[in-house]
Amino acid sequence: MARITKEEVKRIADVSRLHITDDELEKISAQLDEFIELAETLNEVDTTGVEPTTHVFKVKNVMREDIPEPGMDRDLLFKNAPDHQDGQFKVPAVLD
Amino acid sequence: MSLFEHKLAELQELLQKKEITVSDLVAESFKRIHEVDDKVKAFITLDEERAREQAKKLDEKQANGETDGLLFGMPIGIKDNIVTQDLRTTCASKMLENFVPIYNATVMDKLQEAGAITVGKLNMDEFAMGGTTESSYFHKTRNPWNLDYVPGGSSGGSAAAVAAGEVPFALGSDTGGSVRQPAGYCGVVGMKPTYGRVSRYGLVAFASSLDQIGTITRNVEDNAYLLQVIAGHDHRDSTSADVEVPNYVEQLTGDIRGLKIAVPKEYLSEGVSEPVRNAILEALKKFEELGATWEEVSLPHSKYSVPAYYIIASAEASSNLARFDGIRYGYRAEDAKNLLDLYKKSRSEGFGAEVKRRIMIGNYVLSKGNYEKYFRKAQQVRTLIKQDFEKIFENYDVIVGPIAPTTANKIGEFTKNPLTMYTRDILTIPVNLAGVPAISIPCGFDNGLPIGMQIIGKHFDEGTVYRVAHAFEQATDFHKQRPQL
């Protein structure tokens, strides 16, 4: 039996902000299913009481002196923007 | 003979004696690129005009006897996920096809300060996700030793360019083996330093807790010089380590008498081809001749590194790649109905299949109900993998094994089933999960394709890794072989 339903795959695509075609849905569902099989092999490992590693070294908040510095030039920041106007990024309508 | 047959120290001497100029070095690089890159296809973007101009400026300095800088006048190629001011940086993705950064990665500033000259940007798997460089949006790079084979990946362009003699130096990035494995496949030297050794500021993030910029060269000494230049703490990367950077080249003594080598049985077990296993056993004999000893050990959680890695790396990638939304920079789809549609269309058209798959895996393992089951579990297994290494390093100086189960695969062999490809990373990814440094150096050939040996060291002990690699290199001549192109 499949470890993941098509509905679930569609939901994951949606939260990933991706459109997927019906063809892709078939393919990705099968691949995710295979991936879950691989991921579940971790259940063979007893991890009772094991601390998770989020980072190789224990990093706490890294502080620096609060000295103001000039930021990047605003015009420069728009250099790679697909669309902008009056010093702001331009997007299509947020609401239909 | 190519100028790049000389190691860095020799080239510096030639420059000081004024027998060559910086322009000669840069010209050598472009001559070779124009000769062979049609076949190898290592580069995405060349920066010829600017490189030649920069060379002229350094020629003047040289004429005045100002050749300071560890990499003075040296041509270098940069993996295309390291941002370079005013030079297109694509991550081999349609998403960033026209992206021209407005700032430099810290490593680029350091290279420039040391006198290196960037000749161009190198091909890779899209967003560094892959092990063959086949998922590049632009083109496939080929292995200079046999053009029907992949160069490895994801830093395939970097390894191929150095192997083909197009540049003597290259930078790559290594999240699960992406510097070491292509270096192994292409018969060059590739170092992944300790996590935090090199600033990641300006490296386009894939999996932030695993990513590390690495160095690719033709020999160990040059590699040590290159790392010397780029290593060190950076206030712009809070995960970069505030640990002193020793002089690496000084540690290349050639003396490894009394060194204790651990050989994990998991690294020579089934799945590792006969020629690869034999090459490693021969190398171990060589280490014995040099006065070192080796013993078999166990890294019992090795096999779980593959699922743990793909869970953690994909989770981090899904978060890191959320920034590509078609608004501030990058690809924007046409005719979007509204803002949400713009996000979806831009991302669906801008990302390739492997990237989309990993984003979806990441969002799946981070979903409510799955977070504990997969993501936290993988992080716990990561702790056990890290502890496996810590235990071994209580009694041994380095760990030695192959860099990959076989030599390079044929182009197209794995594109159908990505999971088969994932399982080939079993020898490289434990190193990233543990954050330790490791190098790949050439140690043999199978059917004309290079075999790579991996030497793994303790946290921040790149010096010992280099010393061992260098001693082996000096006692063998695998690194002197060149592909016929």
Side-chain angles (χ1 to χ4, degrees):
Chain A
M1 204 190 82
R3 296 171 194 85
I4 185 166
T5 63
K6 297 261 158 55
E7 286 314 305
E8 240 179 314
V9 176
K10 278 188 193 163
R11 190 185 63 80
I12 295 295
D14 182 57
V15 298
S16 301
R17 297 296 184 245
L18 291 168
H19 283 304
I20 51 172
T21 63
D22 289 348
D23 266 6
E24 282 175 321
L25 179 64
E26 286 295 326
K27 212 168 149 186
I28 292 177
S29 299
Q31 285 168 343
L32 269 177
D33 189 63
E34 239 183 290
F35 173 78
I36 294 165
E37 187 181 5
L38 175 71
E40 285 185 347
T41 60
L42 292 185
N43 293 331
E44 297 164 16
V45 187
D46 182 6
T47 52
T48 320
V50 177
E51 278 293 310
T53 295
T54 53
H55 202 82
V56 179
F57 304 109
K58 294 252 177 279
V59 180
K60 283 199 184 144
N61 291 338
V62 180
M63 312 294 260
R64 62 164 171 78
E65 290 301 311
D66 187 18
I67 303 163
E69 281 175 47
M72 285 243 184
D73 179 72
R74 189 162 74 171
D75 288 335
L76 208 55
L77 286 168
F78 285 114
K79 200 177 145 195
N80 286 290
D83 200 4
H84 64 100
Q85 190 186 320
D86 305 331
Q88 291 171 71
F89 295 106
K90 198 173 170 187
V91 296
V94 176
L95 302 169
D96 285 318
Chain B
M1 189 183 90
S2 163
L3 280 174
F4 303 152
E5 290 301 323
H6 294 288
K7 58 180 190 173
L8 171 63
E10 291 162 355
L11 289 174
Q12 296 293 19
E13 206 185 314
L14 291 172
L15 283 167
Q16 274 154 22
K17 287 186 186 157
K18 300 189 177 154
E19 287 177 28
I20 57 167
T21 65
V22 175
S23 285
D24 292 338
L25 286 169
V26 169
E28 181 87 35
S29 190
F30 284 107
K31 186 178 138 237
R32 186 67 176 161
I33 290 169
H34 295 311
E35 260 169 27
V36 301
D37 210 55
D38 264 358
K39 291 188 225 167
V40 178
K41 294 185 159 299
F43 283 89
I44 292 176
T45 309
L46 291 176
D47 200 22
E48 183 158 359
E49 205 177 307
R50 197 164 11 196
R52 287 187 190 271
E53 271 170 34
Q54 220 183 322
K56 272 187 208 148
K57 278 184 202 153
L58 294 192
D59 285 343
E60 284 168 30
K61 283 195 169 184
Q62 184 201 358
N64 298 329
E66 299 161 26
T67 55
D68 295 347
L70 275 181
L71 296 173
F72 182 84
M74 295 302 138
I76 187 165
I78 306 295
K79 186 177 183 179
D80 213 15
N81 61 349
I82 296 172
V83 302
T84 44
Q85 192 172 353
D86 299 326
L87 176 60
R88 183 170 79 132
T89 300
T90 69
C91 288
S93 180
K94 181 178 178 183
M95 184 59 86
L96 292 174
E97 190 175 3
N98 301 309
F99 178 66
V100 180
I102 56 175
Y103 68 97
N104 259 339
T106 294
V107 291
M108 295 313 300
D109 284 340
K110 288 190 168 204
L111 286 175
Q112 209 166 357
E113 226 169 275
I117 297 177
T118 302
V119 302
K121 302 298 293 287
L122 291 155
N123 201 18
M124 53 188 278
D125 281 296
E126 186 182 1
F127 282 102
M129 297 174 187
T132 64
T133 314
E134 290 173 288
S135 69
S136 166
Y137 169 66
F138 299 97
H139 51 251
K140 293 177 175 56
T141 297
R142 289 162 186 276
N143 192 312
W145 292 89
N146 185 331
L147 300 174
D148 294 333
Y149 287 76
V150 302
S154 66
S155 311
S158 303
V162 172
E166 296 173 88
V167 279
F169 298 90
L171 290 187
S173 67
D174 192 317
T175 304
S178 279
V179 161
R180 291 162 286 149
Q181 180 256 37
Y185 282 4
C186 291
V188 293
V189 178
M191 171 65 115
K192 183 209 84 84
T194 308
Y195 181 84
R197 189 41 117 184
V198 177
S199 168
R200 292 184 296 113
Y201 180 76
L203 170 68
V204 179
F206 160 15
S208 308
S209 81
L210 302 162
D211 295 342
Q212 187 63 196
I213 291 173
T215 45
I216 298 181
T217 56
R218 278 187 161 179
N219 62 68
V220 175
E221 188 181 304
D222 285 5
N223 206 288
Y225 276 116
L226 182 54
L227 181 60
Q228 193 81 51
V229 167
I230 64 166
H233 179 251
D234 177 16
H235 72 278
R236 292 182 293 187
D237 171 7
S238 60
T239 63
S240 72
D242 203 354
V243 176
E244 199 195 339
V245 181
N247 186 320
Y248 294 123
V249 178
E250 255 178 23
Q251 296 179 59
L252 307 179
T253 58
D255 185 0
I256 57 163
R257 283 173 298 173
L259 184 96
K260 289 167 83 180
I261 300 172
V263 181
K265 61 175 189 225
E266 293 82 4
Y267 286 15
L268 287 175
S269 65
E270 49 175 330
V272 174
S273 79
E274 200 68 35
V276 169
R277 186 181 302 132
N278 289 340
I280 298 301
L281 293 174
E282 282 301 312
L284 291 170
K285 270 189 212 156
K286 187 58 80 180
F287 283 130
E288 280 177 342
E289 282 170 30
L290 294 168
T293 55
W294 67 273
E295 282 176 318
E296 192 177 272
V297 299
S298 177
L299 293 169
H301 297 93
S302 290
K303 78 180 243 211
Y304 300 109
S305 64
V306 175
Y309 171 83
Y310 280 95
I311 290 170
I312 292 169
S314 303
E316 293 184 12
S318 69
S319 168
N320 276 325
L321 272 63
R323 73 190 59 176
F324 297 101
D325 55 8
I327 291 175
R328 289 151 304 150
Y329 52 87
Y331 177 79
R332 175 183 285 200
E334 310 263 320
D335 306 322
K337 283 183 295 206
N338 53 39
L339 188 62
L340 184 60
D341 194 41
L342 177 78
Y343 294 151
K344 287 190 174 180
K345 265 194 162 162
S346 300
R347 291 165 63 81
S348 303
E349 293 170 19
F351 290 137
E354 181 67 23
V355 175
K356 286 184 208 173
R357 177 160 50 240
R358 300 226 197 169
I359 290 173
M360 288 185 62
I361 288 175
N363 282 323
Y364 177 76
V365 299
L366 292 175
S367 302
K368 194 176 165 200
N370 290 340
Y371 183 88
E372 294 280 322
K373 196 169 152 199
Y374 298 116
F375 187 60
R376 194 182 144 87
K377 181 85 182 179
Q379 289 183 320
Q380 286 176 309
V381 172
R382 183 175 183 182
T383 302
L384 297 175
I385 289 165
K386 205 177 146 210
Q387 287 170 353
D388 280 356
F389 279 100
E390 284 163 4
K391 253 178 240 159
I392 300 295
F393 283 132
E394 281 171 16
N395 298 311
Y396 299 90
D397 300 300
V398 291
I399 296 170
V400 165
I403 197 66
T406 65
T407 51
N409 55 281
K410 267 202 163 151
I411 290 173
E413 204 177 324
F414 291 132
T415 38
K416 283 196 193 101
N417 190 343
L419 280 188
T420 332
M421 188 173 79
Y422 294 173
T423 56
R424 286 170 67 91
D425 300 341
I426 190 161
L427 300 169
T428 50
I429 55 188
V431 164
N432 299 79
L433 290 169
V436 289
I439 202 168
S440 176
I441 57 169
C443 73
F445 288 89
D446 177 22
N447 276 321
L449 288 168
I451 298 172
M453 168 165 61
Q454 178 167 227
I455 303 166
I456 307 168
K458 300 172 189 172
H459 285 137
F460 299 109
D461 195 14
E462 287 85 359
T464 299
V465 173
Y466 276 136
R467 178 162 60 92
V468 177
H470 176 257
F472 179 82
E473 184 189 78
Q474 296 307 300
T476 55
D477 62 3
F478 302 113
H479 68 293
K480 290 182 183 154
Q481 316 285 322
R482 300 283 175 254
Q484 297 301 315
L485 274 162

